[in-house]
Each structure stands twice: as structure tokens, then as C-alpha cells.
């Protein structure tokens, strides 16, 4: 299947609708975009800290939406508000740790797959803290059909001093999360205000512990994994030695990393979002082919 930048038109893009799913008694909200015909696979997208599911459906430029692009290429795209965000924020005012979130996310995806055409399996896509949640979700997956995990905005070695991980001022935080303003379409920051929300306390409390958590978790992830590092990523080390050591810790049959030029930490809202999303879908097709290989 050829995935080209012209494969979706802003006028003809499939509709994106709101959805709620049950995650072990907790109501999770989100957005879903479905193809016109039987889906090739289900893509489940998990946003980062302080964001919402709409991160994957950028409004500043229709070309930045992963949801409509995926549906136009024949996949169902389901972006969930992680536990502690969206509809579940009232039920979980303190949020949840990432390993706890994983159980709810698996239950919500299970419910969706039982009620809708499932296609050829599931690809988990996660950004930043959502990438960590995706890896946790994959590590305990028992339902079958998990094709792979595609994450951006995380590594396993911090590129900043520990004191900067929490409590930094707004100006520093903005620079770290976004990078140069020219990386984003006009209107991005105004429209993104509707997506931003405080990071729940229990989730925030785990942030600095990720390198240790990854060292334990990685070996339990046995499906293909792809990491993408933005050119202007400030949070994580992405030198070849660090990345190779990170990939070697995985229990995956296939793992790789890529670098995206002209991108900042919030990759799916930037001008290069479409390039990244096309690569996500190409990786999904590669994972489908691997799953079909005897």
C-alpha cells in the first residue's frame, strides 16, 4: 500500500467523533476516526502529559491530524484521553501511575475491539508520557493481536539535570516542550490551549523515575518497537550510544530509532507532523507483514 502526502484532502477527510469507553469501571473519553470500509488495523494513540486526545488531531493545519490521515489510508484511529484526563479526571482527581493506567487502557481497547471491526491487529502509538504508557500497556498485553508500539518524545536517559524535571518556570517549560516557534503552523499555540491541562499528581510523581522503570519494563515488551527523536528534542539523550543501549534492553523481535528533522518535542502538532505520521503508518504496515509471516 502506498502512503503518500496527497492521500488525504482536508475537504474529504473522514469525520472525527467523540467516544467513551469503559476502562475497568472508569469512563475514558477520546476521539475516533474510522475508514469507510473494513479497517486494515486499529491504531490506538496515547497523548503526553498535560495534553488531551486532541493532540493527535491538530487544528492549526488539517495536515497535522494523525486521525484523519490514518482513516484515509484504511485504518481506524482511536485517540484516548489517558486515565486522569478528560472524562475520567473527575473519577481520578489524583490521576494514576502508568502501570495502573495500562490496565484501564487495555480494557478500553478490548471493549472497542469487541464492538467494532478490528482489522489486522493493534498498533499502540504514544507521545512522551503517553509513550511510556504505551510501553506499559504492551508489556502486559494478553489479548492477542498487538502488532507493535510506536513512540516519540521519550528516551531512557535524561538530557537535563534532575532539578529541571519538576518545578521549572513557564518560559523554560515552553522552550523544552515546543522548541523554536517556527516549527509549528500559525495558530498552533492558541488552539493548543484547549488541549492543555495540569499533569495529574500521581503521574507527575513518577516522571523522574522513568530510566529505572524502563530498565525493568523494556524486557517485557516483545513486539516491534520504533522510537522517533525530534531534531529539537531537549528532554532526552539521543546520541547513538544512548539509543543503542536503550533498544538493546527491549525484548522485541524488531526495534529501531529514527530522527525527524525540523521537529520539536510536540512532534504531532508541528509542520513535520505529516511526515512523522506517514512513517507511523508505514511501520504499522511493516508490523502487519511481520505478524503474517509464518
Amino acid at each position: 500500500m502506498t502512503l503518500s502526502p496527497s492521500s488525504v484532502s482536508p475537504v474529504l477527510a473522514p469525520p472525527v467523533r467523540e467516544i467513551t469507553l469503559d476502562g475497568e469501571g472508569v469512563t475514558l473519553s477520546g476521539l475516533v476516526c474510522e475508514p469507510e470500509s473494513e479497517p486494515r488495523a486499529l491504531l490506538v494513540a496515547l497523548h503526553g502529559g498535560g495534553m488531551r486526545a486532541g493532540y493527535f488531531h491538530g487544528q492549526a493545519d488539517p495536515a497535522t491530524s494523525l486521525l484523519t490521515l490514518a482513516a484515509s489510508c484504511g485504518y481506524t484511529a482511536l485517540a484516548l484521553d489517558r486515565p486522569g484526563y478528560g472524562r475520567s479526571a473527575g473519577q481520578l482527581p489524583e490521576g494514576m501511575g502508568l502501570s495502573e493506567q495500562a490496565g484501564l487502557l487495555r480494557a478500553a481497547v478490548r471493549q472497542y475491539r469487541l464492538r467494532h471491526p478490528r482489522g489486522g491487529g493493534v498498533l499502540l502509538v504514544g507521545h512522551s508520557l503517553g509513550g511510556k504508557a504505551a510501553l506499559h500497556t504492551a508489556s502486559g498485553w494478553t489479548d492477542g493481536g498487538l502488532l507493535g508500539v510506536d513512540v516519540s518524545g521519550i528516551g531512557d536517559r535524561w538530557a537535563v539535570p534532575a532539578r529541571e524535571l519538576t518545578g521549572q518556570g513557564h518560559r523554560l517549560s515552553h522552550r523544552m516542550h515546543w522548541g523554536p516557534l517556527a516549527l509549528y503552523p500559525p495558530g498552533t499555540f492558541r488552539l493548543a490551549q484547549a488541549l492543555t491541562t495540569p499533569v495529574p499528581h500521581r503521574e507527575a510523581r513518577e516522571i523522574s523515575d522513568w530510566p529505572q522503570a524502563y530498565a525493568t519494563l523494556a524486557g517485557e515488551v516483545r513486539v516491534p518497537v520504533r522510537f522517533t527523536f525530534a531534531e529539537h528534542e531537549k528532554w532526552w539523550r539521543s546520541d547513538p550510544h544512548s539509543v543503542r543501549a536503550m533498544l538493546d534492553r527491549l525484548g522485541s523481535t524488531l526495534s529501531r530509532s529514527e530522527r525527524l528533522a525540523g521537529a520539536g518535542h510536540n512532534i504531532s502538532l508541528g509542520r513535520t507532523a505529516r511526515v512523522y505520521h506517514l512513517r507511523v503508518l508505514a511501520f504499522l504496515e511493516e508490523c502487519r507483514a511481520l505478524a503474517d509471516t509464518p
Side-chain angles (χ1 to χ4, degrees):
M1 180 182 183
T2 301
L3 303 174
S4 68
S6 61
S7 59
V8 62
S9 162
V11 177
L12 301 176
V16 175
R17 61 181 176 86
E18 296 182 352
I19 190 172
T20 59
L21 294 166
D22 178 66
E24 297 184 340
V26 176
T27 301
L28 300 184
S29 51
L31 301 172
V32 65
C33 192
E34 298 161 321
E36 293 182 359
S37 57
E38 186 79 11
R40 301 172 62 81
L42 171 63
L43 183 154
V44 177
L46 305 174
H47 62 85
M51 282 283 183
R52 292 279 306 276
Y55 170 82
F56 295 102
H57 185 45
Q59 298 298 292
D61 182 348
T64 61
S65 174
L66 171 62
L67 303 187
T68 56
L69 176 63
S72 294
C73 293
Y75 312 96
T76 293
L78 173 64
L80 292 172
D81 290 319
R82 292 188 291 107
Y85 294 86
R87 284 283 297 275
S88 69
Q91 291 177 269
L92 303 168
E94 293 292 304
M96 272 187 156
L98 294 174
S99 62
E100 295 175 287
Q101 290 185 33
L104 273 64
L105 292 167
R106 286 190 291 265
V109 174
R110 183 182 308 121
Q111 183 189 75
Y112 183 87
R113 295 176 76 201
L114 287 172
R115 298 181 177 182
H116 300 83
R118 60 177 61 192
V122 178
L123 178 76
L124 298 175
V125 178
H127 171 252
S128 197
L129 275 166
K132 301 175 187 180
L135 290 169
H136 273 283
T137 302
S139 71
W141 191 279
T142 58
D143 290 337
L146 182 61
L147 299 172
V149 185
D150 194 300
V151 294
S152 66
I154 62 168
D156 74 334
R157 299 189 185 186
W158 293 108
V160 296
R163 65 179 180 274
E164 294 186 13
L165 297 180
T166 57
Q168 62 265 31
H170 173 74
R171 188 178 300 275
L172 174 61
S173 179
H174 192 277
R175 177 177 63 81
M176 297 291 284
H177 280 94
W178 295 94
L181 302 185
L183 299 178
Y184 301 90
T188 295
F189 303 106
R190 174 178 55 83
L191 292 165
Q193 291 176 10
L195 304 177
T196 58
T197 184
V199 178
H201 175 68
R202 291 180 61 189
E203 181 175 294
R205 200 168 58 193
E206 294 184 355
I207 288 176
S208 61
D209 298 332
W210 174 244
Q212 295 78 24
Y214 178 83
T216 301
L217 172 72
E220 300 173 5
V221 179
R222 304 191 182 281
V223 293
V225 181
R226 188 181 79 109
F227 286 83
T228 298
F229 290 93
E231 177 186 0
H232 298 277
E233 174 64 60
K234 303 296 184 182
W235 291 110
W236 303 100
R237 289 176 56 177
S238 58
D239 59 278
H241 175 75
S242 296
V243 172
R244 185 68 261 164
M246 176 189 69
L247 296 178
D248 286 345
R249 293 185 178 93
L250 290 163
S252 308
T253 54
L254 166 70
S255 63
R256 71 162 63 100
S257 71
E258 297 185 21
R259 182 176 175 85
L260 184 62
H265 178 76
N266 284 323
I267 235 171
S268 286
L269 293 174
R271 296 181 185 274
T272 56
R274 193 176 187 81
V275 174
Y276 166 61
H277 295 154
L278 286 166
R279 292 178 182 175
V280 170
L281 298 182
F283 181 63
L284 171 49
E285 279 301 301
E286 182 179 4
C287 291
R288 289 184 70 235
L290 285 172
D292 292 338
T293 302

